[in-house]
C-alpha cells in the first residue's frame, strides 16, 4: 500500500476498455428522477472529469450510467454481506502475496460491518457484471474528508489524496482479499483456489473480489465530521474520475 502510482489510462484489456468513458448518472435508487448530470470524460482534459469522492457516493445511489458512444449501462448496487472485525485491523491485497501483507495502519471499530458493491452490466452481455466499487461501512455517517488506506501511518496522514498520483495495493492474480488481520495465518493454509474469484465471494471471515485484471488499485478511508472513520472505499478503476 506504500507505492505511489499515476492513475493509469484505461488500456488493460477489451473488457475494461468498454468502460473508459463515464457519462451521466440518471436516477438515484430511492429518489425521484432528476435532470441528467453530465460528466465529460475527455482524457485530454482532466478538469472535465468528475471528482472521485463525489462520484463514489453518487454511484452507490444510482441505477445506471450513460457511457458516451456506448449507451446506457445498468448499475447493480447491493449490500452483499458483512465482514466481522474483531482485531480492529483490516487487511487488503493479493492472495498470491498473502504472507507478505501488512494490516492497514488505521485501527477501526470492531463489529459486523456491511459490504456494499457497485457492478456495471454490459448491455451486450447481460450475464456479465464488472466490479466497479467496494465500500465497507463502519457507520452510516457521510464522509467529509479522505485519506489513503495505507499500511504506512505517516503516508496516510501526509499524502494528498487530491493529486494525480495514488497509493494503492498491487494485484497480480486478478483477484484480491479484504479481511480481519486475525485470519491471516489461517488463510495461509487454504488452497489458492478457495481465495481466488472471478466475481465475488463473501463470508464473515474474508471477502474475495475480482479486480477485473492486474494492476494497482487505490483504497481510501472516509472520515465523518467528527474525524472518525466511517467507510473504506476500494476503487477498481472502472469509471474515470479526477482527484485534483
Amino acid at each position: 500500500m506504500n507505492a505511489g502510482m499515476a492513475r493509469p489510462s484505461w488500456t488493460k484489456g477489451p473488457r475494461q476498455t468498454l468502460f473508459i468513458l463515464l457519462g451521466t448518472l440518471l436516477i438515484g435508487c430511492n429518489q425521484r428522477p432528476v435532470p441528467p448530470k453530465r460528466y465529460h470524460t475527455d482524457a485530454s482534459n482532466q478538469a472535465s472529469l468528475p471528482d472521485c469522492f463525489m462520484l463514489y457516493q453518487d454511484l452507490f445511489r444510482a441505477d445506471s450510467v450513460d457511457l458516451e458512444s456506448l449507451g446506457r449501462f445498468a448499475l447493480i448496487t447491493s449490500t452483499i454481506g458483512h465482514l466481522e472485525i474483531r482485531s480492529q485491523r483490516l487487511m487488503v491485497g493479493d492472495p498470491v502475496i498473502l504472507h507478505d501483507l501488512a494490516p492497514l495502519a488505521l485501527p477501526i471499530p470492531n463489529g459486523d460491518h456491511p459490504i456494499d458493491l457497485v457492478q456495471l452490466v454490459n448491455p451486450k452481455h447481460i450475464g456479465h457484471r464488472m466490479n466497479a466499487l467496494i465500500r465497507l461501512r463502519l457507520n452510516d455517517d457521510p464522509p467529509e474528508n479522505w485519506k489513503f488506506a495505507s499500511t504506512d501511518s505517516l503516508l496516510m496522514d501526509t499524502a494528498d489524496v487530491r493529486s494525480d498520483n495514488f497509493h494503492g495495493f498491487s494485484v497480480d492474480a486478478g483477484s484480491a482479499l479484504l479481511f480481519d488481520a486475525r485470519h491471516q495465518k489461517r488463510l495461509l493454509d487454504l488452497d489458492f483456489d478457495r481465495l481466488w474469484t472471478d466475481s465475488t465471494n463473501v463470508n464473515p471471515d474474508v471477502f474475495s473480489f475480482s479486480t477485473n485484471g492486474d494492476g494497482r488499485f487505490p483504497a481510501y478511508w472516509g472520515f465523518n465530521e467528527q474525524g472518525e472513520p466511517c467507510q473504506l472505499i476500494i476503487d477498481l478503476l472502472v469509471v474515470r474520475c479526477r482527484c485534483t
Side-chain angles (χ1 to χ4, degrees):
M1 293 290 295
N2 298 335
M5 294 286 289
R7 184 173 291 271
S9 58
W10 205 238
T11 57
K12 289 186 176 179
R15 288 192 304 170
Q16 293 171 331
T17 54
L18 288 172
F19 300 99
I20 294 177
L21 301 176
L22 174 64
T24 307
L25 289 170
L26 296 178
I27 302 175
C29 294
N30 297 313
Q31 301 174 358
R32 297 175 60 188
V34 296
K37 182 178 181 180
R38 184 161 301 281
Y39 292 116
H40 302 288
T41 57
D42 181 0
S44 65
N45 183 7
Q46 285 290 111
S48 70
L49 295 174
D51 175 82
C52 293
F53 302 112
M54 294 179 62
L55 179 64
Y56 296 153
Q57 306 308 307
D58 285 343
L59 288 182
F60 279 103
R61 295 191 298 263
D63 61 10
S64 63
V65 293
D66 279 350
L67 303 184
E68 293 177 12
S69 78
L70 295 176
R72 183 180 299 181
F73 285 66
L75 287 177
I76 306 298
T77 302
S78 56
T79 300
I80 59 175
H82 68 275
L83 200 62
E84 293 180 356
I85 302 299
R86 299 293 183 266
S87 72
Q88 295 188 300
R89 295 291 181 175
L90 191 66
M91 302 185 80
V92 60
D94 191 328
V96 171
I97 57 171
L98 181 58
H99 58 286
D100 287 331
L101 293 182
L104 300 179
L106 181 71
I108 61 174
N110 288 331
D112 299 345
H113 301 305
I115 299 173
D116 302 324
L117 176 68
V118 173
Q119 295 177 308
L120 271 66
V121 180
N122 185 338
K124 295 182 179 180
H125 305 282
I126 301 300
H128 174 68
R129 298 181 182 183
M130 177 175 281
N131 297 335
L133 292 175
I134 293 163
R135 179 172 65 187
L136 182 73
R137 277 185 286 130
L138 308 181
N139 56 57
D140 292 327
D141 296 343
E144 300 289 337
N145 296 290
W146 298 87
K147 293 182 179 181
F148 286 111
S150 172
T151 59
D152 184 329
S153 59
L154 179 61
L155 185 152
M156 181 185 71
D157 289 335
T158 59
D160 182 9
V161 295
R162 295 185 177 277
S163 69
D164 287 336
N165 298 325
F166 69 82
H167 299 268
F169 61 96
S170 296
V171 174
D172 293 318
S175 180
L177 304 175
L178 187 67
F179 60 96
D180 187 317
R182 67 194 172 107
H183 296 306
Q184 185 177 20
K185 290 183 179 180
R186 182 179 63 81
L187 294 178
L188 286 170
D189 294 331
L190 297 181
D191 291 337
F192 177 78
D193 289 345
R194 295 183 61 184
L195 299 175
W196 187 91
T197 181
D198 61 358
S199 179
T200 60
N201 184 15
V202 61
N203 65 62
D205 292 342
V206 59
F207 172 49
S208 306
F209 57 95
S210 169
T211 56
N212 314 306
D214 300 335
R216 187 173 290 275
F217 303 92
Y220 303 97
W221 290 117
F223 295 84
N224 63 16
E225 190 175 10
Q226 290 74 39
E228 301 165 340
C230 57
Q231 58 184 248
L232 173 79
I233 292 284
I234 296 174
D235 182 353
L236 298 177
L237 303 179
V238 170
V239 292
R240 295 289 308 280
C241 58
R242 62 179 169 85
C243 296
T244 52

